[in-house]
Amino acid sequence: MTKSKLLLAALAACLLAPVAAWAADALPDLGGKKVVVVTENAYPPLQFIDAKTGKQIGWEYDAMDEIAKRLNFKVEYQNTSWDAMIQAVSDNQYNIGMTGITIKDDRKEKVDFSDPYMRSEQFMLVRGDEKRFTDAKTFGAFKEGLIGAQAGTTPFYTAVYSVLDGNEQNPRIKLFETFGATVQALKSGDVDVVLTDGTAGKGYVDASEGKLKLIGGPLGTEDFGFIFPKGSDLVKPVNAAIVALKADGTLDALNKKWFLDYKMGQ
């Protein structure tokens, strides 16, 4: 698969959300209220810390800033770990969560989701010199191979049920607290594979100077959404803004900026 085709498959543009109650030219005005948005800063190019400037940047920051501008609210960004995020948003510690969060029914029991703003597919991230396996099937047969993952994430369940044997306690899966830690373990040789959606995977590959690569075909499709406390009155206006940003080409422009033009580490 060529690089351009990989990008198209893995990043697969933004989805047109269902028609919202407000037209794109008549978005609600939230009166300058403060909205606390939490993220992990571990998912380039969606959100991460720029090594040169130390600033928080990425696709999701740009999208959220634009949503805030159009809905007239002030964003306060905060950070937390992935394993704490959904519960923290559910407990009303934050108003919105964003970190490439896959929309799943079990998560809907704790939080409300926005309409999807992006669709992505999962791939295998490996070291640049990896030759012992080339896809999920050959990795499954490579009995010494280890997978790094975060418990409770979509890549964790894909590893369990699509790559290995369906046993969530399989010793071939090594658990880490952050996605960044799984990538560091991959680089150091402590694990052999990290499963990631194409957005984060491409970001790490671009910054690796050939030390990492993506292999195999897509292992699963996932839709990303922002999360809110149950019953949040922000869901409806944010959905309306997503429709507007899709309709006027803003999200397409962000896709080009972060997935095609931006080069990690440069």
Side-chain angles (χ1 to χ4, degrees):
M1 183 180 293
T2 66
K3 184 175 181 181
S4 60
K5 289 182 178 179
L6 175 61
L7 282 173
L8 292 174
L11 308 172
C14 297
L15 304 179
L16 179 59
V19 176
W22 297 283
D25 59 352
L27 293 174
D29 188 328
L30 300 188
K33 67 184 291 185
K34 183 177 77 171
V35 175
V36 181
V37 178
V38 67
T39 188
E40 188 184 13
N41 280 337
Y43 229 2
L46 292 186
Q47 21 69 26
F48 60 103
I49 302 296
D50 181 38
K52 292 184 177 180
T53 66
K55 293 182 178 181
Q56 303 178 131
I57 61 173
W59 192 103
E60 286 183 327
Y61 279 112
D62 283 0
M64 185 57 65
D65 287 345
E66 186 63 25
I67 289 171
K69 177 182 177 181
R70 298 193 187 198
L71 297 179
N72 187 23
F73 65 80
K74 296 179 181 178
V75 182
E76 177 184 313
Y77 290 112
Q78 296 189 19
N79 302 115
T80 192
S81 63
W82 160 251
D83 58 359
M85 186 177 296
I86 291 179
Q87 188 61 53
V89 172
S90 177
D91 291 341
N92 279 285
Q93 295 180 34
Y94 310 103
N95 302 119
I96 300 176
M98 64 176 200
T99 183
I101 304 172
T102 304
I103 300 173
K104 297 179 64 176
D105 288 341
D106 60 335
R107 293 173 181 168
K108 290 180 180 179
E109 296 176 3
K110 286 191 172 184
V111 293
D112 286 339
F113 276 90
S114 70
D115 292 327
Y117 59 81
M118 183 179 294
R119 172 165 289 173
S120 187
E121 294 176 321
Q122 293 179 68
F123 290 83
M124 300 174 71
L125 182 67
V126 300
R127 289 182 291 278
D129 59 356
E130 182 59 72
K131 297 179 180 179
R132 298 169 296 177
F133 51 89
T134 57
D135 55 19
K137 182 177 181 180
T138 53
F139 177 79
F142 176 55
K143 300 303 182 182
E144 293 79 20
L146 301 178
I147 301 178
Q150 294 169 272
T153 62
T154 299
F156 170 81
Y157 291 113
T158 300
V160 171
Y161 296 102
S162 298
V163 179
L164 299 178
D165 58 3
N167 176 13
E168 294 185 14
Q169 282 73 48
N170 191 312
R172 292 182 63 184
I173 300 178
K174 302 300 180 183
L175 300 181
F176 298 85
E177 292 187 0
T178 68
F179 179 74
T182 67
V183 177
Q184 288 303 315
L186 175 63
K187 290 179 178 178
S188 65
D190 293 330
V191 299
D192 303 294
V193 172
V194 171
L195 300 186
T196 174
D197 68 274
T199 58
K202 180 185 179 296
Y204 279 101
V205 168
D206 286 350
S208 74
E209 298 181 342
K211 295 178 181 178
L212 297 173
K213 64 183 179 181
L214 295 171
I215 64 171
L219 298 174
T221 300
E222 52 189 2
D223 292 334
F224 293 160
F226 302 118
I227 61 172
F228 310 78
K230 296 291 288 185
S232 171
D233 59 5
L234 290 172
V235 177
K236 198 171 183 179
V238 168
N239 281 345
I242 290 173
V243 171
L245 268 61
K246 175 63 178 180
D248 67 13
T250 299
L251 296 189
D252 287 337
L254 291 184
N255 288 342
K256 182 178 184 300
K257 173 183 177 180
W258 289 106
F259 300 141
L260 297 176
D261 297 339
Y262 185 80
K263 305 301 180 185
M264 289 289 295
Q266 297 182 12

